[in-house]
Amino acid sequence: MKQETTDKLRRCFESMAVFKDLTQSNLFKTLGLPSFMRDWLLQRFENGDGVFDAGQLQDFVRTFIPKHDDWTGIKDRIVVEFERVKILAKITVNIDVVTGEVSFSLPDFGLRNKETMIDPDVWDKCKDKLVSGHETWGMLELGYRPPDDTARPKIPGKIRLLDFRDFCPYTIDLDYYKDVRKEFSVQEWIDVVLGAVDYKTEGYDIAKANDKDGSLPDADVMRFTVLTRILPFVEKRLNLMELAPMGTGKSYLFGQVSRYGWLSTSDKMTRAKLFYDVGRREQGLVGQNDFIVLDEIQKTVFEDGMGSVLQGYLEQGTFTVGNYSNAADSGFVLCGNIPPETMKQDGYAYMFANLPKVFQDAALIDRFHGFIKGWNIPRMNSTLKIDGWALNSEYFTSILHQLRDDISYRHVVDEIIEVPSGSDERDTEAVKRIATALLKLLFPHVQTPEDISEMDFNRYCLPPAMKMRYTIKYQMGLMNEQYRGKDLPALRFRKEM
């Protein structure tokens, strides 16, 4: 990032800018922390020059951020020693509609809601923060209510929530974020976005300069392809597919940067896990996350009958499992690896032969809005990792999470794009949805069609969206001759608005 852009970033975002040096990140690798938690700690411990005391930070992590293996010791302190223990963890709240009792679970440690309780006075004090999402990160203070065998009925022992402080130590001003975007050029803003998700924009110029066999596109294409991975963070029910060589960082970006998504590497995927567990009466992953990424998709085994459930959900955002029906906003991303001989044909070879059987159906593939050509991204190396000032990842992904609810961008896209009569509705919707996500990501200040130029929209929004959709359309034609030779609608920028 150029010094001028860095200065602008620090001036405009002040405390939301942190100094990240992932080229010297042995400490954070050892601690095993995701990006959003790492940046929260950096914001807490760094001084104005980006320097922090490693020992002090390590002491905080050891004291307040336990690993799964530490849980038995923590229970001993709470239940046996009657200590009040503070930990930074993810909490899920349950309200029993029959008894009116409020309890919680800690999914990372296997603590279930039947083992816990929240007293009414604590609930009254903390509920506004605890009900803001299905799962909430924060600083928890835990205690114990011992059992009472003399009572009738007997009162079981339970772990109590004594206090809760939200993980997010600041109030997000979405209007300020939108307005301050005007201070940056498009290229500067791309640098800012890449830094927010831990990438160094200059690294792609270096990768191109070192590209001996000519396999990589120019640096701008590389950078833009990385940006397309972020689109499900900012747009509801955006369904994408990506095939890429190993080591290009897709698992890191989808699994470590945002606390609002879920990266699954499970070898077995069921209706209960994805949508609804009838036996436990619990929501599945789609009801708990902004996006679900199924990594190593070629190795994933799907339960029989999943095709129809997936097809309905990917189309309408609704699902039925048994007698239970509901809706959700989570997008789906399928990720897998691709052999070199296939990717060299740049999407014109048939790429879906190794996908699970459930995805050998063009009608289901049609529900995916776009395709990410992951071979346009170089293999991860130290030159691509951020080593300077950048936006706090936790702050940035929280902004994207909030932008998912802003429907004004779709209204702008509907006004800007002219759709020819008779256009395929699914193609049109796919292109518009991707274009909307790109508009939110790169032009968050745009609130009316007049706020973005035809040149910018035609460079950064509409043609990229159409290219991503075209790859899906072309692969469908290779899969099923019914779809062969069908072009995308000739969507274009509306000249008169």
Side-chain angles (χ1 to χ4, degrees):
M1 189 183 297
K2 294 179 180 178
Q3 186 61 48
E4 181 183 352
T5 309
T6 298
D7 293 343
K8 196 180 297 186
L9 171 73
R10 296 190 66 189
R11 173 174 54 82
C12 291
F13 287 100
E14 298 181 346
S15 62
M16 292 302 104
V18 294
F19 189 88
K20 312 181 193 183
D21 187 356
L22 301 193
T23 63
Q24 302 292 329
S25 60
N26 290 334
L27 170 62
F28 291 107
K29 283 183 179 179
T30 301
L31 297 176
L33 299 176
S35 298
F36 62 85
M37 191 173 288
R38 177 207 65 215
D39 285 4
W40 181 82
L41 288 169
L42 287 175
Q43 183 186 7
R44 184 184 180 100
F45 289 101
E46 276 184 351
N47 63 23
D49 297 321
V51 178
F52 63 89
D53 186 315
Q56 187 182 26
L57 190 148
Q58 283 181 298
D59 288 343
F60 181 90
V61 171
R62 292 192 186 104
T63 303
F64 296 112
I65 308 179
K67 298 179 181 178
H68 187 273
D69 293 343
D70 299 328
W71 181 241
T72 300
I74 292 173
K75 283 197 295 184
D76 174 70
R77 292 169 59 195
I78 296 171
V79 176
V80 180
E81 304 296 333
F82 286 95
E83 288 186 38
R84 297 166 69 111
V85 176
K86 290 183 178 181
I87 62 172
L88 185 64
K90 182 168 55 179
I91 181 173
T92 300
V93 169
N94 179 70
I95 302 174
D96 192 311
V97 297
V98 176
T99 65
E101 293 179 348
V102 184
S103 58
F104 66 95
S105 62
L106 303 182
D108 290 340
F109 303 104
L111 182 67
R112 298 169 296 177
N113 57 56
K114 69 178 184 179
E115 304 170 294
T116 69
M117 61 180 291
I118 304 178
D119 290 323
D121 60 326
V122 175
W123 179 244
D124 288 342
K125 183 174 69 171
C126 303
K127 65 181 179 181
D128 288 344
K129 297 174 182 177
L130 288 169
V131 299
S132 60
H134 176 78
E135 295 179 334
T136 307
W137 280 88
M139 185 68 76
L140 289 63
E141 184 173 6
L142 304 174
Y144 187 59
R145 185 197 70 182
D148 186 350
D149 293 337
T150 65
R152 292 292 180 269
K154 294 181 179 180
I155 298 175
K158 291 192 175 185
I159 291 179
R160 303 165 62 194
L161 181 69
L162 303 176
D163 195 16
F164 176 82
R165 283 185 291 140
D166 194 1
F167 175 79
C168 183
Y170 42 80
T171 300
I172 291 176
D173 187 339
L174 198 56
D175 289 334
Y176 177 81
Y177 175 85
K178 293 177 180 180
D179 190 58
V180 82
R181 162 62 182 87
K182 300 173 187 176
E183 300 290 323
F184 299 82
S185 70
V186 181
Q187 291 302 318
E188 287 176 332
W189 190 249
I190 287 174
D191 294 351
V192 168
V193 171
L194 288 172
V197 294
D198 293 349
Y199 292 102
K200 178 180 178 180
T201 186
E202 299 93 332
Y204 298 95
D205 297 299
I206 298 171
K208 182 60 179 176
N210 294 333
D211 182 25
K212 304 302 182 184
D213 60 2
S215 61
L216 292 173
D218 65 46
D220 285 338
V221 172
M222 289 188 244
R223 280 186 278 260
F224 198 87
T225 306
V226 175
L227 294 178
T228 60
R229 285 179 171 172
I230 309 172
L231 299 183
F233 293 30
V234 76
E235 181 68 8
K236 292 181 179 180
R237 289 181 39 238
L238 182 60
N239 308 316
L240 301 176
M241 302 180 68
E242 177 179 354
L243 297 179
M246 291 185 290
T248 59
K250 55 184 181 297
S251 299
Y252 176 82
L253 181 55
F254 288 126
Q256 296 293 310
V257 173
S258 173
R259 60 189 170 107
Y260 298 102
W262 181 273
L263 175 72
S264 176
T265 55
S266 172
D267 58 357
K268 177 74 173 180
M269 197 55 62
T270 64
R271 281 181 287 251
K273 184 171 184 177
L274 274 180
F275 296 103
Y276 185 73
D277 190 320
V278 176
R280 295 183 176 181
R281 293 188 294 178
E282 291 181 352
Q283 288 281 355
L285 294 173
V286 300
Q288 304 173 25
N289 298 278
D290 285 357
F291 55 90
I292 309 296
V293 181
L294 304 182
D295 200 10
E296 299 190 10
I297 187 63
Q298 292 99 329
K299 300 178 182 179
T300 306
V301 177
F302 288 82
E303 182 182 42
D304 290 343
M306 281 284 283
S308 59
V309 183
L310 279 168
Q311 189 163 311
Y313 177 77
L314 295 177
E315 178 75 12
Q316 301 290 343
T318 59
F319 60 90
T320 299
V321 179
N323 295 322
Y324 179 85
S325 297
N326 208 342
D329 293 322
S330 180
F332 267 82
V333 182
L334 303 187
C335 284
N337 296 321
I338 186 170
E341 61 272 15
T342 303
M343 70 182 184
K344 285 179 181 178
Q345 298 185 53
D346 201 31
Y348 291 99
Y350 183 51
M351 298 186 292
F352 298 165
N354 294 327
L355 293 184
K357 183 180 178 181
V358 66
F359 294 108
Q360 300 296 326
D361 177 4
L364 180 56
I365 295 297
D366 198 12
R367 270 68 176 177
F368 285 86
H369 301 111
F371 185 90
I372 298 172
K373 295 180 178 180
W375 54 84
N376 285 338
I377 299 173
R379 187 173 176 83
M380 198 63 197
N381 62 75
S382 60
T383 63
L384 297 171
K385 297 178 181 179
I386 187 72
D387 61 351
W389 289 94
L391 266 187
N392 178 331
S393 295
E394 198 279 329
Y395 166 77
F396 177 68
T397 54
S398 295
I399 288 283
L400 300 188
H401 172 71
Q402 291 194 19
L403 284 173
R404 290 167 65 86
D405 290 323
D406 194 328
I407 63 173
S408 65
Y409 298 94
R410 178 54 187 264
H411 175 72
V412 170
V413 168
D414 286 338
E415 289 291 313
I416 287 178
I417 294 179
E418 184 176 339
V419 181
S421 176
S423 295
D424 182 274
E425 186 174 336
R426 195 166 286 142
D427 287 337
T428 300
E429 175 60 26
V431 172
K432 284 188 172 184
R433 194 167 296 196
I434 297 171
T436 300
L438 287 166
L439 189 68
K440 289 181 181 180
L441 184 66
L442 299 179
F443 304 93
H445 59 292
V446 169
Q447 295 298 291
T448 70
E450 292 72 29
D451 293 336
I452 185 169
S453 69
E454 178 179 354
M455 182 179 68
D456 281 344
F457 192 79
N458 277 340
R459 180 175 182 182
Y460 297 104
C461 297
L462 182 55
M466 294 187 71
K467 288 178 181 178
M468 291 176 70
R469 177 60 182 175
Y470 178 77
T471 302
I472 293 289
K473 191 88 168 178
Y474 186 85
Q475 291 295 311
M476 287 168 54
L478 297 179
M479 178 179 287
N480 187 323
E481 64 179 12
Q482 175 184 345
Y483 299 93
R484 197 163 300 162
K486 294 188 177 180
D487 293 327
L488 290 181
L491 307 180
R492 55 186 174 269
F493 189 93
R494 193 186 303 273
K495 296 296 184 181
E496 297 179 1
M497 289 186 290

